Amino acid sequence: MSKNQKSSLTSRRTITFFSILFITLFAALLGWPPVAKTQQDQTAPKKQQMPTIEEYQPKSTLVTKEHKIERAKFPFIDIHSHHWNPTPEEVDRLVKEMDTINLRVMVNLSGGTGERLQRTIAAMKGRYPERFVVFANMSYDDLNTPGFGKRVAERLEQDVKNGAQGLKIFKDFGMELKYANGQRVHVDAPEFDAVFEKCAELKIPVLIHVAEPSAFFDPWDYHNERWQELKEFPGRARPPAKYPPFETLMTERNHLFAKHPKTNFIAAHLGFHGNDLERLGKLFDAHPNVYVDIAAVLAELGRQPYSAHDFLVKYQDRVLMGKDIYEVNEYKWYFRALETRDEYFEYYRKRHAFWRIYGFQVPDEVLKKVYYKNALKLVPGIDAKAFPE
């Protein structure tokens, strides 16, 4: 074999050796990632599906003092409750539950009128005369017959003689109540003037529900903070094609207050200005005959504890305790918010508030006014001796 042939053979062997080595290493590299990936999968957490708004319920890690109050510091009057056609058994149960939380007097706003009112009064006040108050309601059956307002005033006068201690006007007034021709009944409609003047004459308050939370009138999209409630109850939305704007209803309501300065009005649910206490304060300043309850809007106050505290101190003569939907175990949130400085606790009904709330502890004298003194001032016939000075 020549020298050139030996050199060529050596070169081929070298190339072959490195080719085999490269192929072996490449094959090893190709086989490595799946093994590594398998090892990683065994230790890495599984990817979770994105939770929905309803599913996401984080548990707070905040550690702070808690004061879970089961019973109000002072006896109180619930100015805003609903009990339709209560039976004697239901009334007995109510009184037992009321005693456990220091609820001295409950105001049933759903008394009706005429014979129905008399039955409700007999079932509640007939059995426990010092524990219940019943408000009358208007009937619209003869709305389209001339002289309607005068007749309602006459019926109301008789209802008061039969034991009613106030008038409650429900949310259909101004939003859904219509005349036979399809036109909406305005909140300040003149045919109702006789009714409100009769309330002033009889010295009974009018607890009136006008409109809904302003967010119900806004577009129902992911920017709406009441989205979850509207999803749960779509019928609560107030689209402009079907309902008057929120501001229209507020204008009519305020005009009603101005037209009847001798009539005491209690605007339900902070007048739906719980998200704008400065605006509510201006309403109070303009109309000395207007009061509010805090029924079903505790979450509004609880998310602004500093402002809520200052507002209640400033307007302590104008705010009344109320709950709305009766559930004895839910009052404790009101006690905790009004009586403590607890921080960042969950509200009892998530659809009203996806946020947490804070206690805005008010002084005892303010607490007494909210709990019972303001109601004693407005509602005739409640025994003041059952309450502290």
Side-chain angles (χ1 to χ4, degrees), residues 61-327:
T61 61
L62 179 68
V63 179
T64 185
K65 290 183 178 180
E66 295 183 312
H67 305 85
K68 296 184 178 180
I69 300 176
E70 302 292 330
R71 181 179 173 85
K73 186 174 185 178
F74 302 110
F76 69 97
I77 298 170
D78 182 351
I79 196 69
H80 193 137
S81 196
H82 297 283
H83 303 272
W84 289 267
N85 302 312
T87 65
E89 294 77 17
E90 290 172 348
V91 175
D92 289 342
R93 175 182 58 81
L94 278 176
V95 171
K96 289 179 181 178
E97 292 178 348
M98 291 163 61
D99 287 342
T100 66
I101 60 173
N102 213 8
L103 172 47
R104 178 61 191 171
V105 177
M106 176 183 287
V107 179
N108 181 8
L109 300 177
S110 303
T113 185
E115 292 183 0
R116 182 189 155 209
L117 174 74
Q118 293 180 58
R119 290 194 299 271
T120 300
I121 290 174
M124 303 189 86
K125 290 180 67 67
R127 298 170 60 77
Y128 301 93
E130 304 301 326
R131 305 301 299 275
F132 295 103
V133 167
V134 180
F135 276 26
N137 310 128
M138 288 192 289
S139 170
Y140 305 118
D141 291 345
D142 54 341
L143 173 63
N144 294 285
T145 305
F148 167 75
K150 183 180 178 181
R151 288 192 301 277
V152 172
E154 291 171 350
R155 291 196 291 261
L156 178 61
E157 186 168 20
Q158 185 59 51
D159 286 340
V160 171
K161 289 179 180 178
N162 290 334
Q165 291 162 266
L167 174 67
K168 167 63 163 73
I169 297 178
F170 294 103
K171 68 173 70 176
D172 56 345
F173 189 72
M175 284 198 297
E176 296 176 333
L177 184 64
K178 293 181 172 60
Y179 299 107
N181 61 7
Q183 291 185 341
R184 178 177 66 89
V185 174
H186 291 196
V187 177
D188 55 352
E191 58 262 43
F192 290 87
D193 287 344
V195 180
F196 298 118
E197 290 303 312
K198 179 61 68 174
C199 291
E201 177 188 326
L202 296 172
K203 294 182 171 54
I204 60 170
V206 179
L207 199 151
I208 185 167
H209 180 145
V210 177
E212 290 281 62
S214 59
F216 287 3
F217 295 80
D218 294 336
W220 180 10
D221 56 24
Y222 291 159
H223 298 292
N224 192 316
E225 68 178 2
R226 303 301 285 267
W227 182 91
Q228 188 166 346
E229 183 171 0
L230 292 173
K231 182 177 184 294
E232 187 174 348
F233 299 98
R236 294 184 181 180
R238 299 291 182 251
K242 188 177 179 182
Y243 294 94
F246 178 79
E247 292 302 333
T248 295
L249 291 168
M250 295 298 97
T251 298
E252 293 175 3
R253 181 202 66 183
N254 295 350
H255 184 220
L256 171 68
F257 295 160
K259 280 203 301 179
H260 303 284
K262 295 182 179 180
T263 305
N264 288 324
F265 292 93
I266 304 170
H269 313 299
L270 286 171
F272 294 113
H273 294 326
N275 61 329
D276 190 348
L277 293 179
E278 184 176 353
R279 180 175 181 177
L280 181 55
K282 290 178 180 178
L283 178 69
F284 284 157
D285 295 341
H287 306 287
N289 59 324
V290 174
Y291 303 78
V292 296
D293 68 40
I294 59 174
V297 287
L298 181 65
E300 295 285 13
L301 298 174
R303 65 173 168 173
Q304 48 180 335
Y306 307 130
S307 296
H309 173 276
D310 295 348
F311 180 86
L312 290 174
V313 170
K314 182 176 181 180
Y315 295 104
Q316 58 188 269
D317 298 314
R318 312 290 286 277
V319 181
L320 289 77
M321 175 68 174
K323 173 68 176 60
D324 197 0
I325 298 174
Y326 175 79
E327 170 50 60

